[in-house]
Amino acid sequence: MSDHSPVGEHELIQKARSGDTDAFGRLYEANAPAVFRFLYAHLDDRLDAEDLTEETFLRVWQALPGYREQGAPFGGFLFRVARNVLYDHYRKTRRRPSITLDREWPDDQQADPAVSVPEQLERREMHRVLDALREDQRLVLSLRFLAGLSPEETAQAMGRSAGAIRVLQHRALAAVRKLLVGPEEAQSGAQKGRAGFPGVSETD
Amino acid sequence: MAHKKEEQDFQAYLKLIEAGQPAEKILADIPEQAHHVRAELEAVEWLEHSRGLLEPRPGFVTASRKRLKTRLETPEGRQVGIWRSRWLVRYRSRSYGLAQSPVILAVLLVMLVGMIVQSGRVLAHSAPTWLPGDFLYPLKETGEHLSLLFSLSSEQRASRHIEFARQRLLEAQSLVFEGRYEEIAGAATDFSEHMDAALRTINQISRKDLVTARRLAGLLDVTLSQHNQLISTLVQACPDTARQDLQRVLAVSQNGLLEMKRIIDPGNSNASILTWELPLLAQKAAVLGD
């Protein structure tokens, strides 16, 4: 997941546990983009995702004394905290991660001049599909493919076995495909031309 | 085994997609399996594309790192102890909603205390056949202690001491019937303690509420009277080792009856024994019995 080798990451963690904020800053730089992607996949607002990313790492810093590597990857620990931060946010905003196909999009997303309209539309479509999934399916896909965790790290973050994660992943991917192409085509197994597959262009 | 091979192949295809290879090309290379994995690989390809839509703004990571460093150097950034940190990671927000509300936590706590009290009462009152020396007898004792601990008033506490004194009398009788004389000493001691506590509590109540004190004294009077006759008979049937203990029970019981008479009928000058003298009187009775 991060750019650091396991040995380098281990050293940074040890230093951070001793109170070295610079070492923790380097861990932050390596892992913050993945955490942000995970959180943004679940939230409407980019600013909320940014705030929660910082909150996640603050809690990780606070909880580092209790972290024991012992073969358990740092990514699993990090994203378990991120998941908890997300759930705390849901509770504060009284929001449930349910299907909200008619979500109203905040104005700031449309007003951002750096984001093109096609990109905004693609992001909306992405959120539409993800929102329509069950919560555990959305979680496993956002951890595995949007944050880039391994199956073992995902298992640790979700508190399940690696085997259970693989099964859940298969079902979640099938559900995504069905949402993208429609249940009839998904059932008939019809091959879809790439031009008709939302979000994927011919040049990809 | 075949399933494991399929899973390994699938993981390999995922790595190819993550490396940027199009799903169609991968599918073209595996015509036998294409039909089975097409849907999932196309979904993975879509997710990989979506990943690009979720990247943070340029400069966000650097700017937020500085902000975070500032926060870490404040009291907010204090690293906590091991146990609190494990709670932060493992148990906090495990399922958002119900368990975090202070009101609901308070309700759960009250329910838990109620369950403990009720369990204590059930243990105390539904295990009459358990005798001293039985494997489960400590549970019965625990139930009685819990029941006393959660007594809501002096009256309730006195009632419970009277009930538990009655239990000890029943146990002493059962022990004699079963020939388990060695256990009678413990029952006798417990009986004395419960009697002492009941009398002390009733005396305290009598200073403020004579009506309640008299009612409790009457209850104790009935309890002791019902058993004293039987115990007097049993004393004759016991070996010497147990006779002393039973006589102690009788002495305590009889003195308790006198004390209750004083509370019920204060004008009667014959009943003048103070409660803290009961243990001494019990010892004298034991000596006289020899």
Side-chain angles (χ1 to χ4, degrees), chain B residues 167-181:
Chain B
Q167 287 291 327
R168 299 296 92 78
L169 289 176
L170 288 170
E171 287 165 11
Q173 291 161 21
S174 298
L175 288 168
V176 171
F177 292 142
E178 291 186 18
R180 294 164 59 179
Y181 304 113

Side-chain angles (χ1 to χ4, degrees), chain A residues 28 50 61 88 122 170 199, chain B residues 40 42 49 57 64 77 93:
Chain A
Y28 176 80
E50 289 177 353
W61 167 261
D88 275 350
E122 280 189 275
H170 283 298
Chain B
E40 290 185 34
E42 287 178 347
H49 174 78
R57 287 178 296 172
S64 63
S93 311

Side-chain angles (χ1 to χ4, degrees), chain A residues 33-51:
Chain A
V35 172
F36 177 85
R37 288 195 301 270
F38 165 72
L39 292 167
Y40 196 19
H42 293 263
L43 298 169
D44 302 341
D45 194 331
R46 177 185 286 275
L47 294 177
D48 282 346
E50 289 177 353
D51 289 343

